[in-house]
Amino acid sequence: MRILYISHLHPPEDAPLKNMGGMQRVSMQLVRELKRKDDVVLKALTLHASWRWIGIKTFFFLVGLLLKIPRQARKFDADVILFSSMVTASLAWFIRSRVDIPMVTINHGQDVTLPVGIYQWFLPKVFSSLDGVISVSRATRQACIDRGMDPEKGVSLPNGFDLQRLDQFPNKESSRAFFGRKFSIPLENRYFLLTVGRQVKRKGHAWFIREVLPKIHSDALYLVIGDGPESENIAEAVRETGQQNRVFLLGRQPDKVLKQAYAAADLFIMPNIPVKGDMEGFGIVLLEANMARTPAIASDLEGIRDVIEQGKNGYRVPPENPDRFSEKVNQVLENGFSGLSDSARSYVQERFNWERVSEQYLDYLQNVIKDQRTHNPKI
């Protein structure tokens, strides 16, 4: 299979780990995994850019692709064009008359639900121009259907996970000692609750601090890693509740510190809340925590439902229900979680490894190619 892959999500080539988000990691890992396949030849047209001025750079990148994609598809003799998100897939409507091979996109959640009127008006036109749609969760697929996608055109397939990137973790004791030294956090004889992610409203950080944390055992500390537009609101929630000695806001941290955090934590917390026009498409940080044998307690919402299986790698609780959330956290802390810790890691290794997920992607792409050739025998 010859795949022409289009993405605007790759970081600068000279600094691949800096400012990298979850979607960027997934895109890079998918490309790397597909290139390993003996029966796949992949050519990637990608924008390598940091978040600085990403909007302007993406605009000019997309404009340039209007001519480049049809030309490269013919020159490369591609069997299929695979877009990394709805942003690049928006080009399908403009080039449909000049491309005679299938065009498929992956979508992640917010690239479908973005609450911009003209964008939402345009989405049905994009879906009609595509031959296939891969959504990273059932919730994301449903969001596509709600916006005009033919249900027969789309499928739900999970993100893959680079097991090697987070395969070797320090032990819990040394990781906790690391945080004590580096950030002066008194973790001795305390439970360690961890949240990692971009600080936007849907993540529910401030809600958790205000409504849930006061109901959790007082010997539990809450560490928050990440930054974003909700950072000040989160800090205000800490001040309002007087929990400065329980909540530690560490900002954005490099991979080295993240690895220590995942290993040191007792529970990973993902307290998402519903936000109109936004959604959690998947939740890759849950898998990163699980790989460190850290189970998760998260809101039973959107793409999180496809990541957490009750009692295997954590628990899902009703969203915006502080009593149920705190009750489940307290229950797991009191009853111990050694068995849950081991099963969490095994669950990720078995279900979300890239070798398995990439085969699912290729099977779907092959079916799309066959289907188009059946209906268009000249291709």
Side-chain angles (χ1 to χ4, degrees), residues 264-284:
D266 294 300
L267 282 176
F268 189 84
I269 303 296
M270 199 163 181
N272 285 42
I273 58 176
V275 173
K276 186 177 180 179
D278 200 359
M279 70 177 293
E280 192 70 51
F282 188 72
I284 197 74

Side-chain angles (χ1 to χ4, degrees), residues 94-370:
F94 297 98
I95 65 175
R96 180 73 274 182
S97 63
R98 293 179 287 131
V99 172
D100 59 3
I101 60 173
M103 291 189 286
V104 177
T105 190
I106 305 166
N107 55 40
H108 307 266
Q110 192 178 16
D111 56 338
V112 178
T113 62
L114 184 69
V116 176
I118 192 170
Y119 184 79
Q120 291 297 316
W121 170 83
F122 187 53
L123 277 181
K125 301 179 185 298
V126 178
F127 287 131
S128 68
S129 301
L130 292 166
D131 300 279
V133 177
I134 299 172
S135 299
V136 299
S137 66
R138 290 170 293 174
T140 305
R141 179 176 178 269
Q142 185 59 51
C144 295
I145 294 171
D146 294 343
R147 288 158 176 79
M149 183 191 77
D150 181 349
E152 297 298 319
K153 186 176 284 189
V155 66
S156 170
L157 295 175
N159 277 325
F161 189 73
D162 187 352
L163 301 181
Q164 293 183 347
R165 189 179 74 84
L166 287 176
D167 190 36
Q168 298 297 323
F169 286 90
N171 62 47
K172 187 174 292 292
E173 291 72 21
S174 64
S175 294
R176 291 169 73 92
F178 169 85
F179 271 90
R181 293 191 306 270
K182 185 173 180 63
F183 299 105
S184 299
I185 299 175
L187 288 174
E188 187 174 357
N189 298 320
R190 308 289 294 273
Y191 290 117
F192 176 2
L193 310 179
L194 173 68
T195 289
V196 175
R198 180 161 168 74
Q199 294 175 355
V200 294
K201 189 174 181 179
R202 78 167 188 273
K203 296 290 188 178
H205 303 88
W207 172 80
F208 181 82
I209 291 168
R210 289 188 173 101
E211 304 294 335
V212 183
L213 191 58
K215 300 180 179 183
I216 293 175
H217 292 313
S218 59
D219 56 354
L221 302 181
Y222 183 43
L223 275 68
V224 182
I225 295 179
D227 57 17
E230 278 286 292
S231 295
E232 181 51 40
N233 187 32
I234 295 168
E236 180 62 26
V238 177
R239 292 190 292 268
E240 285 179 2
T241 57
Q243 297 184 98
Q244 292 90 337
N245 293 328
R246 293 190 73 188
V247 183
F248 297 84
L249 308 179
L250 304 185
R252 195 178 184 95
Q253 296 293 332
D255 274 9
K256 178 182 177 181
V257 174
L258 286 180
K259 205 168 185 177
Q260 296 278 2
Y262 288 132
D266 294 300
L267 282 176
F268 189 84
I269 303 296
M270 199 163 181
N272 285 42
I273 58 176
V275 173
K276 186 177 180 179
D278 200 359
M279 70 177 293
E280 192 70 51
F282 188 72
I284 197 74
V285 290
L286 293 168
L287 303 184
E288 293 181 340
N290 288 166
M291 276 296 291
R293 294 186 170 85
T294 299
I297 309 293
S299 298
D300 188 11
L301 195 66
E302 301 160 347
I304 295 171
R305 293 170 177 154
D306 287 6
V307 179
I308 293 184
E309 186 168 341
Q310 300 287 55
K312 286 198 172 181
N313 61 331
Y315 293 95
R316 291 176 276 108
V317 295
E320 296 186 300
N321 190 322
D323 291 333
R324 292 286 296 278
F325 209 118
S326 58
E327 178 184 332
K328 180 55 70 175
V329 172
N330 286 330
Q331 177 187 346
V332 174
L333 293 179
E334 290 170 0
N335 296 336
F337 32 74
S338 58
L340 186 60
S341 299
D342 291 337
S343 69
R345 181 179 172 90
S346 298
Y347 179 75
V348 175
Q349 290 175 317
E350 293 168 5
R351 182 171 179 182
F352 297 103
N353 67 81
W354 264 122
E355 183 176 358
R356 173 180 174 174
V357 172
S358 64
E359 288 298 330
Q360 293 176 304
Y361 273 50
L362 291 174
D363 287 345
Y364 177 71
L365 293 176
Q366 191 63 60
N367 287 334
V368 171
I369 294 169
K370 288 180 180 178

